[in-house]
Amino acid sequence: IFLSIQTGQAQFVRMPLNYTHDGTLHSPNGMSIVDQDHVWIATESQNPSNYSYMTYSKALSTNDGGNTWHFFQIPVTGSPILVDVEAYSDSICYYLVADLNTGHSDVWKTIDAGSTWSKKTTTQFNASYGDFIHLFSKDTLIAVGDPANGYFNIQITNNGGETWTRVPQSNIPGILTGEWCLGG
């Protein structure tokens, strides 16, 4: 019996994100890949001398597989960092943004590839830090935050963020001692 083994090799090509070289440490915090050409990234920015978070973190995307990157300014006030990102397409994307000073978080959405942004939450995460979001379809999204009022803050929308419903405490296991959520 003749056994033939064929191997495949993946080729990775370095695609720099081209952040400004201003002495700030920029590190991607979240990535959402739509297809081979379209990728959205959430970035944290830090002061390299003491690793403290800085404002404003960078939102960026590519529509040509990483050959060029487009940087966006989401119109957030306060001291925001971009916690997570979920994209549906090259034009529809959601970012979870947390304010370092207040601990409040919000979901922001673009439907025109980052030209305009709309805030999709109001008070859903005023009492808890948002940890991650996940997109199930164009309009169905879950946003999860640290515990508030004795249980995890899990919010669901089925209409693109126009309305949110918090998952009832009775549907969530109890919090273990010292437990909190980390982005994912």
Side-chain angles (χ1 to χ4, degrees), residues 6-52:
Q6 296 184 10
T7 62
Q9 295 181 357
Q11 299 297 317
F12 291 96
V13 177
R14 185 173 186 261
M15 305 303 269
L17 298 176
N18 298 323
Y19 293 107
T20 56
H21 297 287
D22 58 2
T24 301
L25 173 65
H26 302 288
S27 58
N29 191 37
M31 178 187 305
S32 186
I33 301 171
V34 177
D35 57 37
Q36 67 184 15
D37 292 324
H38 301 94
V39 177
W40 294 79
I41 294 179
T43 303
E44 289 181 353
S45 300
Q46 293 180 334
N47 180 335
S49 65
N50 61 10
Y51 295 104
S52 62

Side-chain angles (χ1 to χ4, degrees), residues 144-166:
V144 178
D146 288 341
N149 301 319
Y151 66 104
F152 280 105
N153 191 357
I154 303 172
Q155 300 279 342
I156 298 174
T157 182
N158 292 308
N159 57 10
E162 295 305 316
T163 59
W164 294 84
T165 303
R166 185 172 183 187

